[in-house]
Amino acid sequence: MSETEEILRIASKGDGVTASGRFAWGAAPGDLLREDGTLEWGPHHVEPPCRHFGRCGGCQLQQLDEESLAAFVEARVANASVSQELGAETITPPHLSPPMSRRRVSLRAESSGGRIVVGFREARSHRLVELEECHVMAPELAALLAPLRKLLITMGKGAAKPKKGGKQGRRAEKGGAMPRMAADIEMTLVEQGVDLGVKGLATEGLAATEAMLDFARDHGLARLTMDGGYGHEVVWEPEPVTVKLGEVSVPFPPGSFLQATLDGEETLVGAAKEWLAGMPTVADLFSGLGTFAFALAGPDTKVLAAEAARDAHLACKAAADRSQQPVFAVHRDLFRNPLQADELGKFAAVLLDPPRAGAREQVDCIAESSVGRVVYISCNPSSWSRDAARLIEAGFRLGELRPVGQFRWSTHVELASLFVRD
């Protein structure tokens, strides 16, 4: 083995790979991997902007420059196409979301050493990294990290139920101990501001309630919800919380799915609108709140929006009724009860945006139908390639692939794809 080997590419989990198959974490294409496992930086290796990189599991690729990061996203999608011999006619240059553009984040909060830690898990560990900065999430969300820790201290003490006479109980009663606490934190940018949800923590007492209300008011929250195990409880919501989808304000139930970045959403929606322009009827499957349905609907296009999550379905239906858009919301579990071939035959085109597992059952029905055009949005190139192979087998061709890197500096890649039946 030579003393040094060049890193040729970045593997799917973020490690650099040499021609001989050696792996190196934190490498970039063009780096030299020494025999002792250390790296000599090459032309595509940059200084990671975040002090937490290397410990925080939220990012794996901050060492890549823009060119090599784009190449990684494109390769992930292209490889998924090649693996099933799908033969994409066009793969467009990838779209990368810029730093500090994530509008939806899920964090973990835990008590540790008498204090509260809020952050992401360490890479390959259950330990938390206390975030002092974050170059991924939107500034409005990052600004809440420090004050949120203070709030959780008060809420954590309010949630404590110390046993009388016990050592921990006596310390808690004196206010000298932080009881064990763990909670999941969800923050989302909505039209009214920041929607903050705390799950896994139940609070009691006037002090904790007043602290939550003061926090929500002082920081201009759009909404504050708590879930102690019995569902979301709204603590603060001065006006109904909504998100703008297309030109429609749609109710946003607590914990609902939203594309991670606004620019990523616009890229995916833009592809769908371009590919489905002029289609008189579209079936939007796994439609969620209506991200694609409201963008596609118009004077010449009617959209059926099918979704299994009841809250999302009702929000979509309410927005469609209020806006008078030709969006017809249907509550339907497409895994257990997919639209059948004869039902799909009533539509000129289908758009589907399934969860990470893909949509095997629904794709089988599409393959057996007379639908001539399918737009498939995916957050998992692996399950997408399996479903895409089924469509190709049924006589479709893969016309275009558009890679999207919404989750900047992570190995998570999304795509938009167009299938046309000749």
Side-chain angles (χ1 to χ4, degrees):
M1 183 174 61
S2 61
E3 291 185 1
T4 61
E5 290 186 86
E6 183 179 356
I7 299 294
L8 300 180
R9 63 182 181 87
I10 304 300
S12 61
K13 293 185 179 180
D15 294 323
V17 186
T18 68
S20 67
R22 294 176 66 197
F23 289 81
W25 187 89
D31 287 356
L32 296 179
L33 178 61
R34 302 187 183 100
E35 191 172 0
D36 63 359
T38 59
L39 290 169
E40 180 181 331
W41 289 8
H44 295 290
H45 200 125
V46 298
E47 187 71 39
C50 181
R51 74 178 78 172
H52 301 301
F53 182 69
R55 289 183 59 232
C56 177
C59 294
Q60 299 84 41
L61 302 172
Q62 285 192 12
Q63 77 279 6
L64 301 185
D65 66 4
E66 203 75 3
E67 179 184 343
S68 55
L69 182 60
F72 170 81
V73 174
E74 182 175 350
R76 283 290 313 280
V77 172
N79 291 342
S81 173
V82 171
S83 68
Q84 296 282 3
E85 299 181 352
L86 302 176
E89 295 176 6
T90 303
I91 300 181
T92 64
H95 170 84
L96 300 181
S97 291
M100 299 181 181
S101 61
R102 185 87 62 82
R103 61 176 175 176
R104 172 177 61 83
V105 295
S106 297
L107 303 169
R108 181 71 173 170
E110 293 179 358
S111 56
S112 176
R115 59 194 180 91
I116 296 293
V117 176
V118 179
F120 296 114
R121 299 283 188 192
E122 287 187 10
R124 295 178 288 276
S125 171
H126 291 293
R127 291 190 298 271
L128 283 182
V129 175
E130 184 170 5
L131 292 183
E132 299 295 336
E133 62 178 322
C134 182
H135 292 256
V136 170
M137 68 177 72
E140 297 93 326
L141 305 182
L144 289 176
L145 291 174
L148 180 58
R149 290 188 190 96
K150 297 179 180 179
L151 172 67
L152 290 173
I153 291 173
T154 302
M155 293 168 64
K157 289 181 177 179
K161 294 183 179 180
K163 295 181 179 179
K164 292 184 178 180
K167 181 178 180 181
Q168 183 177 358
R170 289 194 299 273
R171 291 177 63 194
E173 288 171 356
K174 294 179 181 179
M178 167 55 62
R180 293 182 63 84
M181 190 212 77
D184 294 312
I185 308 296
E186 290 187 351
M187 293 192 290
T188 306
L189 277 177
V190 295
E191 287 193 274
Q192 294 75 21
V194 177
D195 178 24
L196 173 62
V198 180
K199 184 177 182 180
L201 181 63
T203 60
E204 295 180 0
L206 180 61
T209 301
E210 289 180 338
M212 288 188 289
L213 293 173
D214 288 344
F215 180 88
R217 181 173 51 252
D218 293 345
H219 295 281
L221 294 188
R223 179 170 59 197
L224 173 60
T225 60
M226 296 286 296
D227 183 353
Y230 300 98
H232 295 282
E233 177 185 350
V234 176
V235 177
W236 170 270
E237 189 177 13
E239 58 181 294
V241 169
T242 58
V243 290
K244 181 65 73 69
L245 300 177
E247 299 300 321
V248 179
S249 292
V250 181
F252 187 72
S256 293
F257 173 81
L258 189 67
Q259 293 290 342
T261 66
L262 178 59
D263 64 278
E265 177 185 291
E266 290 174 343
T267 300
L268 295 170
V269 166
K273 291 177 67 174
E274 177 184 334
W275 292 335
L276 298 179
M279 296 290 106
T281 53
V282 177
D284 180 6
L285 310 181
F286 307 95
S287 58
L289 296 171
T291 300
F292 295 95
F294 288 112
L296 295 172
D300 301 319
T301 303
K302 297 179 180 179
V303 180
L304 174 78
E307 171 58 42
R310 184 171 179 81
D311 285 350
H313 156 70
L314 292 175
C316 178
K317 185 176 187 304
D321 291 344
R322 185 172 57 252
S323 65
Q324 296 297 296
Q325 291 288 316
V327 172
F328 304 91
V330 175
H331 185 222
R332 184 157 174 171
D333 186 338
L334 298 173
F335 289 108
R336 294 175 176 162
N337 184 24
L339 261 68
Q340 299 301 303
D342 58 336
E343 297 176 283
L344 292 165
K346 302 174 184 177
F347 297 92
V350 168
L351 180 143
L352 66 160
D353 180 17
R356 288 188 60 79
R360 186 195 301 268
E361 296 81 3
Q362 185 60 79
V363 166
D364 281 340
C365 294
I366 295 173
E368 296 168 1
S369 74
S370 60
V371 170
R373 182 165 288 234
V374 174
V375 172
Y376 193 145
I377 310 295
S378 175
C379 60
N380 184 355
S382 177
S383 61
W384 169 84
S385 66
R386 179 204 66 209
D387 291 343
R390 177 71 179 96
L391 293 176
I392 298 298
E393 178 187 287
F396 286 89
R397 59 180 171 84
L398 177 55
E400 189 171 338
L401 267 175
R402 296 189 183 180
V404 178
Q406 275 198 87
F407 294 83
R408 187 179 182 86
W409 294 316
S410 89
T411 57
H412 186 79
V413 173
E414 299 179 308
L415 62 91
S417 56
L418 169 65
F419 294 87
V420 179
R421 197 195 301 267
D422 291 324

